[in-house]
Short mmCIF file of all heavy atoms in Angstrom, two decimals:
data_model
loop_
_atom_site.label_atom_id
_atom_site.label_comp_id
_atom_site.label_asym_id
_atom_site.label_seq_id
_atom_site.Cartn_x
_atom_site.Cartn_y
_atom_site.Cartn_z
N ASP A 62 61.59 138.72 254.61
CA ASP A 62 62.79 137.82 254.44
C ASP A 62 62.24 136.56 253.66
O ASP A 62 61.70 135.68 254.23
CB ASP A 62 63.28 137.43 255.84
CG ASP A 62 64.52 136.64 255.74
OD1 ASP A 62 64.85 136.18 254.67
OD2 ASP A 62 65.15 136.48 256.80
N VAL A 63 62.41 136.57 252.40
CA VAL A 63 61.93 135.56 251.53
C VAL A 63 62.46 134.23 251.93
O VAL A 63 61.71 133.21 251.88
CB VAL A 63 62.08 135.87 250.04
CG1 VAL A 63 61.74 134.87 249.10
CG2 VAL A 63 61.33 137.18 249.70
N LYS A 64 63.75 134.15 252.24
CA LYS A 64 64.36 132.88 252.55
C LYS A 64 63.75 132.27 253.78
O LYS A 64 63.49 131.08 253.85
CB LYS A 64 65.86 133.12 252.79
CG LYS A 64 66.63 131.89 252.90
CD LYS A 64 68.16 132.17 253.22
CE LYS A 64 68.97 131.01 253.47
NZ LYS A 64 70.28 131.33 253.92
N GLU A 65 63.44 133.07 254.74
CA GLU A 65 62.88 132.56 256.00
C GLU A 65 61.40 132.11 255.63
O GLU A 65 60.99 131.08 256.21
CB GLU A 65 62.72 133.88 256.96
CG GLU A 65 62.22 133.61 258.37
CD GLU A 65 63.03 132.56 259.11
OE1 GLU A 65 64.28 132.47 258.83
OE2 GLU A 65 62.46 131.79 259.97
N ILE A 66 60.66 132.82 254.82
CA ILE A 66 59.32 132.47 254.44
C ILE A 66 59.39 131.07 253.72
O ILE A 66 58.58 130.17 253.93
CB ILE A 66 58.63 133.46 253.66
CG1 ILE A 66 58.42 134.76 254.51
CG2 ILE A 66 57.32 132.96 253.08
CD1 ILE A 66 57.90 135.99 253.79
N GLN A 67 60.50 130.89 252.91
CA GLN A 67 60.57 129.59 252.16
C GLN A 67 60.85 128.52 253.08
O GLN A 67 60.30 127.40 252.98
CB GLN A 67 61.77 129.73 251.16
CG GLN A 67 61.89 128.63 250.26
CD GLN A 67 62.88 128.79 249.12
OE1 GLN A 67 63.14 129.91 248.69
NE2 GLN A 67 63.65 127.81 248.75
N ASN A 68 61.63 128.76 254.18
CA ASN A 68 61.85 127.68 255.16
C ASN A 68 60.64 127.34 255.90
O ASN A 68 60.35 126.18 256.30
CB ASN A 68 62.91 128.19 256.17
CG ASN A 68 64.28 128.28 255.62
OD1 ASN A 68 64.55 127.67 254.64
ND2 ASN A 68 65.08 129.13 256.26
N LEU A 69 59.67 128.37 256.07
CA LEU A 69 58.52 128.00 256.73
C LEU A 69 57.44 127.40 255.92
O LEU A 69 56.59 126.70 256.44
CB LEU A 69 57.91 129.37 257.42
CG LEU A 69 58.76 130.00 258.52
CD1 LEU A 69 58.38 131.47 258.72
CD2 LEU A 69 58.72 129.24 259.83
N THR A 70 57.37 127.78 254.61
CA THR A 70 56.25 127.42 253.78
C THR A 70 56.66 126.49 252.65
O THR A 70 55.80 125.86 252.01
CB THR A 70 55.59 128.67 253.15
OG1 THR A 70 56.54 129.33 252.37
CG2 THR A 70 55.06 129.60 254.21
N GLY A 71 57.88 126.50 252.26
CA GLY A 71 58.33 125.77 251.05
C GLY A 71 58.03 126.58 249.75
O GLY A 71 58.40 126.13 248.64
N LEU A 72 57.51 127.80 249.85
CA LEU A 72 57.14 128.55 248.71
C LEU A 72 58.36 129.34 248.26
O LEU A 72 59.11 129.84 249.14
CB LEU A 72 56.03 129.55 249.07
CG LEU A 72 54.70 128.96 249.35
CD1 LEU A 72 53.78 130.01 250.00
CD2 LEU A 72 54.04 128.32 248.03
N LYS A 73 58.57 129.37 246.96
CA LYS A 73 59.72 130.08 246.39
C LYS A 73 59.36 131.49 246.06
O LYS A 73 58.38 131.75 245.49
CB LYS A 73 60.25 129.37 245.12
CG LYS A 73 61.08 128.10 245.46
CD LYS A 73 61.77 127.65 244.25
CE LYS A 73 60.91 126.80 243.39
NZ LYS A 73 61.51 126.22 242.21
N GLY A 74 60.16 132.40 246.48
CA GLY A 74 59.88 133.86 246.13
C GLY A 74 61.09 134.67 245.97
O GLY A 74 62.15 134.15 245.97
N ILE A 75 60.85 135.88 245.64
CA ILE A 75 61.92 136.82 245.46
C ILE A 75 61.44 138.22 245.83
O ILE A 75 60.36 138.52 245.62
CB ILE A 75 62.53 136.75 243.95
CG1 ILE A 75 63.97 137.25 243.96
CG2 ILE A 75 61.66 137.58 243.01
CD1 ILE A 75 64.76 136.45 243.08
N ASN A 76 62.35 139.00 246.41
CA ASN A 76 61.99 140.27 246.79
C ASN A 76 62.65 141.37 245.95
O ASN A 76 63.93 141.57 246.09
CB ASN A 76 62.41 140.46 248.30
CG ASN A 76 61.94 141.74 248.98
OD1 ASN A 76 61.51 142.61 248.20
ND2 ASN A 76 61.98 141.79 250.22
N ILE A 77 61.82 142.00 245.07
CA ILE A 77 62.50 143.05 244.26
C ILE A 77 62.19 144.44 244.71
O ILE A 77 62.21 145.43 243.92
CB ILE A 77 62.12 142.85 242.76
CG1 ILE A 77 60.64 142.98 242.49
CG2 ILE A 77 62.63 141.52 242.21
CD1 ILE A 77 60.22 143.12 241.04
N SER A 78 61.76 144.51 246.01
CA SER A 78 61.55 145.87 246.57
C SER A 78 62.89 146.66 246.78
O SER A 78 63.86 146.10 246.97
CB SER A 78 60.96 145.85 247.92
OG SER A 78 59.87 144.84 247.96
N ILE A 79 62.82 147.99 246.54
CA ILE A 79 64.03 148.85 246.76
C ILE A 79 63.61 149.96 247.59
O ILE A 79 62.53 150.72 247.39
CB ILE A 79 64.56 149.31 245.39
CG1 ILE A 79 64.98 148.04 244.61
CG2 ILE A 79 65.86 150.17 245.61
CD1 ILE A 79 65.51 148.35 243.27
N SER A 80 64.47 150.32 248.46
CA SER A 80 64.28 151.41 249.38
C SER A 80 64.12 152.85 248.64
O SER A 80 64.88 153.06 247.70
CB SER A 80 65.44 151.61 250.35
OG SER A 80 65.48 152.72 251.05
N GLY A 81 63.09 153.46 248.98
CA GLY A 81 62.89 154.94 248.53
C GLY A 81 62.34 155.03 247.06
O GLY A 81 62.46 156.14 246.50
N ILE A 82 61.79 153.85 246.54
CA ILE A 82 61.36 154.05 245.14
C ILE A 82 59.83 154.19 245.14
O ILE A 82 59.12 153.60 245.94
CB ILE A 82 61.77 152.84 244.22
CG1 ILE A 82 61.23 151.57 244.69
CG2 ILE A 82 63.30 152.83 244.17
CD1 ILE A 82 61.39 150.42 243.67
N GLY A 83 59.39 154.95 244.21
CA GLY A 83 57.88 155.13 244.03
C GLY A 83 57.29 154.13 243.16
O GLY A 83 58.01 153.24 242.63
N ILE A 84 56.04 154.27 243.05
CA ILE A 84 55.23 153.22 242.22
C ILE A 84 55.71 153.13 240.84
O ILE A 84 55.66 152.05 240.27
CB ILE A 84 53.67 153.44 242.45
CG1 ILE A 84 52.77 152.32 241.88
CG2 ILE A 84 53.34 154.79 241.73
CD1 ILE A 84 52.83 151.09 242.67
N GLN A 85 56.11 154.28 240.30
CA GLN A 85 56.56 154.19 238.92
C GLN A 85 57.77 153.42 238.67
O GLN A 85 57.90 152.57 237.67
CB GLN A 85 56.71 155.60 238.24
CG GLN A 85 57.74 156.52 238.97
CD GLN A 85 57.23 157.30 240.12
OE1 GLN A 85 56.79 156.69 241.06
NE2 GLN A 85 57.23 158.53 239.98
N GLU A 86 58.69 153.38 239.61
CA GLU A 86 59.90 152.62 239.59
C GLU A 86 59.61 151.09 239.89
O GLU A 86 60.24 150.28 239.35
CB GLU A 86 61.02 153.14 240.49
CG GLU A 86 62.29 152.63 240.14
CD GLU A 86 63.49 153.51 240.74
OE1 GLU A 86 63.20 154.56 241.23
OE2 GLU A 86 64.60 152.97 240.83
N GLN A 87 58.66 150.96 240.81
CA GLN A 87 58.26 149.59 241.12
C GLN A 87 57.61 148.99 239.78
O GLN A 87 57.81 147.72 239.51
CB GLN A 87 57.16 149.63 242.27
CG GLN A 87 57.79 150.05 243.58
CD GLN A 87 56.80 150.30 244.65
OE1 GLN A 87 55.67 149.75 244.58
NE2 GLN A 87 57.11 151.14 245.57
N TYR A 88 56.78 149.76 239.14
CA TYR A 88 56.21 149.18 237.84
C TYR A 88 57.34 148.81 236.91
O TYR A 88 57.26 147.75 236.25
CB TYR A 88 55.29 150.28 237.26
CG TYR A 88 54.83 149.92 235.82
CD1 TYR A 88 53.82 149.07 235.74
CD2 TYR A 88 55.39 150.42 234.73
CE1 TYR A 88 53.33 148.62 234.40
CE2 TYR A 88 55.03 150.12 233.48
CZ TYR A 88 54.03 149.19 233.31
OH TYR A 88 53.58 148.80 231.98
N LEU A 89 58.23 149.70 236.76
CA LEU A 89 59.39 149.44 235.72
C LEU A 89 60.02 148.15 236.08
O LEU A 89 60.19 147.16 235.25
CB LEU A 89 60.43 150.59 235.84
CG LEU A 89 61.56 150.58 234.86
CD1 LEU A 89 62.07 151.99 234.60
CD2 LEU A 89 62.78 149.73 235.33
N LEU A 90 60.42 147.96 237.40
CA LEU A 90 61.15 146.75 237.85
C LEU A 90 60.27 145.50 237.64
O LEU A 90 60.72 144.50 237.09
CB LEU A 90 61.61 146.85 239.28
CG LEU A 90 62.66 147.94 239.45
CD1 LEU A 90 62.83 148.22 240.96
CD2 LEU A 90 64.03 147.50 238.83
N PHE A 91 59.00 145.63 238.04
CA PHE A 91 58.14 144.45 237.96
C PHE A 91 57.85 144.08 236.50
O PHE A 91 57.91 142.92 236.13
CB PHE A 91 56.83 144.72 238.67
CG PHE A 91 55.83 143.63 238.54
CD1 PHE A 91 56.04 142.36 239.14
CD2 PHE A 91 54.63 143.72 237.81
CE1 PHE A 91 55.20 141.38 238.95
CE2 PHE A 91 53.75 142.68 237.68
CZ PHE A 91 54.00 141.51 238.24
N SER A 92 57.56 145.13 235.65
CA SER A 92 57.20 144.77 234.28
C SER A 92 58.46 144.16 233.52
O SER A 92 58.28 143.29 232.64
CB SER A 92 56.77 146.13 233.56
OG SER A 92 57.75 147.08 233.68
N GLU A 93 59.66 144.63 233.89
CA GLU A 93 60.86 144.02 233.26
C GLU A 93 61.10 142.60 233.81
O GLU A 93 61.47 141.72 233.13
CB GLU A 93 62.08 144.87 233.63
CG GLU A 93 62.15 146.13 232.78
CD GLU A 93 62.30 145.80 231.27
OE1 GLU A 93 63.16 145.17 230.86
OE2 GLU A 93 61.37 146.36 230.54
N PHE A 94 60.79 142.49 235.17
CA PHE A 94 61.07 141.12 235.84
C PHE A 94 60.22 140.06 235.10
O PHE A 94 60.68 138.99 234.86
CB PHE A 94 60.77 141.26 237.21
CG PHE A 94 60.85 139.98 238.01
CD1 PHE A 94 62.06 139.51 238.42
CD2 PHE A 94 59.72 139.28 238.34
CE1 PHE A 94 62.11 138.29 239.13
CE2 PHE A 94 59.83 138.06 238.93
CZ PHE A 94 61.03 137.54 239.40
N ILE A 95 58.93 140.40 234.92
CA ILE A 95 58.06 139.28 234.41
C ILE A 95 58.24 139.08 232.95
O ILE A 95 57.66 138.08 232.44
CB ILE A 95 56.55 139.59 234.66
CG1 ILE A 95 56.10 140.89 234.16
CG2 ILE A 95 56.22 139.44 236.19
CD1 ILE A 95 54.62 141.05 234.15
N GLN A 96 59.02 139.88 232.19
CA GLN A 96 59.41 139.55 230.85
C GLN A 96 60.25 138.36 230.76
O GLN A 96 60.27 137.63 229.71
CB GLN A 96 60.01 140.79 230.20
CG GLN A 96 59.04 141.78 229.65
CD GLN A 96 59.70 142.74 228.76
OE1 GLN A 96 60.56 142.34 227.93
NE2 GLN A 96 59.37 143.98 228.90
N PHE A 97 61.10 138.18 231.76
CA PHE A 97 62.09 137.16 231.64
C PHE A 97 61.90 136.10 232.75
O PHE A 97 62.71 135.10 232.89
CB PHE A 97 63.57 137.84 231.81
CG PHE A 97 63.73 138.88 230.77
CD1 PHE A 97 63.57 140.24 231.07
CD2 PHE A 97 64.10 138.52 229.47
CE1 PHE A 97 63.83 141.17 230.11
CE2 PHE A 97 64.30 139.46 228.53
CZ PHE A 97 64.12 140.83 228.86
N ASN A 98 60.99 136.18 233.67
CA ASN A 98 60.77 135.28 234.72
C ASN A 98 59.36 134.93 234.85
O ASN A 98 58.44 135.74 234.37
CB ASN A 98 61.25 135.94 236.05
CG ASN A 98 62.78 136.41 235.92
OD1 ASN A 98 63.65 135.58 236.06
ND2 ASN A 98 62.89 137.68 235.69
#
Side-chain angles (χ1 to χ4, degrees):
Chain A
D62 185 348
V63 173
K64 190 181 173 188
E65 183 62 29
I66 293 171
Q67 189 171 324
N68 290 340
L69 294 168
T70 62
L72 293 166
K73 283 192 277 179
I75 204 140
N76 187 342
I77 62 169
S78 312
I79 299 179
S80 173
I82 63 169
I84 190 75
Q85 58 273 64
E86 197 162 345
Q87 292 171 26
Y88 171 78
L89 185 153
L90 293 167
F91 176 67
S92 58
E93 283 299 305
F94 175 80
I95 57 165
Q96 275 193 42
F97 304 100
N98 303 279

